[in-house]
Amino acid sequence: MNGPGIQLTLAPELRLFAPPSRRAERVPTATDGASSLGHVVESAGVPLTEVGRLLVDGDEVPVSYVPRAGQSVEVFGVERPQRIPGAPPLRFLLDVHLGTLARRLRLLGVDAAYENEDIGDPALATRSAAEQRVLLSRDRGLLRRRELFAGAYVYSDNPDEQLRDVLGRFAPVLAPWTRCTACNGPLRNADKDSVGDRLESGTHRSYDVFAQCTACERVYWRGAHHARLERIVSEAVEEFGGVATP
């Protein structure tokens, strides 16, 4: 772009998307005089999934606004908690790189579909639209696809920080221990006799309380890893609340 110049200010949390040379508070930015502000912001490296309010000379404008020479543009991040207009009960779709995050969301009872194979960006975007799921990804290019229902960039590569980021951003209702961490299906209580043929003999002797996935039939009990999972659940509930009532 080499047309009219504007002054572009990105919110501090959005500057990581811009090249290092363009992370100052006010950056002179050339436009072509015809492109929308949304296009200008994306050209600066920021996915529109991460953009909240846009102010031009102090007045809020839509992403379709075409900036003029000399104007000052401020780009803010999304407000938290973020509401998704027209969304059904909140549900997510995670790309192949976010398997741990998917399992932790499911542990908390959050509907989190996950592709454990790389099915490609077009297929992920199409599924997001077809099932009205918020796509979570660290792939900026994927989040720029127009067919997405909605999307969000996952800012950290640390699973603990990823979980806090998603819970803080979207404030989903939590229902711990109600969803299969393997396939995302709902769990039901199961008696030992009904699942006995799926248990090792040691497990059968040592435990009496079980749950089973209604979709993939995987069986759950409070085994060796339960203390670690309980910590994840209790910390999330303590910090973010929003637990569903039975």
Side-chain angles (χ1 to χ4, degrees):
M1 294 185 181
N2 53 11
I6 62 174
Q7 295 288 329
L8 186 67
T9 298
L10 300 178
E13 67 270 25
L14 300 180
R15 292 174 192 169
L16 67 91
F17 295 109
S21 62
R22 300 182 61 79
R23 293 179 183 173
E25 184 170 343
R26 288 169 60 87
V27 179
T29 301
T31 71
D32 61 10
S35 294
S36 69
L37 191 51
H39 180 76
V40 173
V41 171
E42 282 192 322
S43 296
V46 183
L48 291 182
T49 59
E50 307 312 296
V51 173
R53 294 188 304 147
L54 294 169
L55 300 185
V56 173
D57 293 337
D59 296 323
E60 189 164 354
V61 299
V63 293
S64 59
Y65 179 85
V66 178
R68 301 190 301 273
Q71 290 185 317
S72 178
V73 176
E74 296 175 85
V75 183
F76 292 86
V78 294
E79 294 186 3
R80 296 186 174 217
Q82 182 181 358
R83 304 304 179 194
I84 307 298
L90 187 64
R91 49 192 178 182
F92 298 98
L93 171 63
L94 291 80
D95 72 16
V96 68
H97 304 292
L98 297 176
T100 299
L101 176 59
R103 289 188 291 273
R104 292 189 179 191
L105 288 170
R106 292 169 177 176
L107 178 65
L108 294 167
V110 178
D111 189 337
Y114 166 68
E115 295 290 349
N116 58 11
E117 296 181 1
D118 190 355
I119 64 174
D121 290 2
L124 279 171
T126 297
R127 182 174 180 185
S128 166
E131 299 180 12
Q132 293 187 304
R133 291 181 179 273
V134 180
L135 179 65
L136 303 179
S137 179
R138 286 179 52 78
D139 183 340
R140 305 176 194 182
L142 174 55
L143 293 174
R144 293 179 65 171
R145 297 193 69 92
R146 293 290 182 258
E147 62 268 39
L148 286 179
F149 169 68
Y153 184 75
V154 177
Y155 285 79
S156 175
D157 57 7
N158 177 281
D160 289 337
E161 294 175 1
Q162 289 175 346
L163 184 62
R164 293 186 71 255
D165 181 22
V166 173
L167 296 182
R169 177 165 175 172
F170 293 101
V173 174
L174 306 183
W177 316 107
T178 63
R179 194 172 288 275
C180 178
T181 57
C183 81
N184 199 42
L187 299 182
R188 62 171 179 82
N189 293 330
D191 61 75
K192 183 183 290 190
D193 291 340
S194 68
V195 298
D197 60 344
R198 294 176 173 269
L199 305 176
E200 299 286 344
S201 58
T203 301
H204 195 281
R205 289 194 305 270
S206 303
Y207 298 96
D208 295 307
V209 179
F210 298 92
Q212 187 172 28
C213 177
T214 60
C216 73
E217 300 187 341
R218 179 169 175 165
V219 179
Y220 291 86
W221 62 93
R222 296 188 175 189
H225 300 295
H226 184 75
R228 179 177 62 85
L229 301 179
E230 180 64 50
R231 176 189 62 80
I232 294 172
V233 169
S234 61
E235 288 180 356
V237 169
E238 180 179 357
E239 182 170 2
F240 299 100
V243 178
T245 54

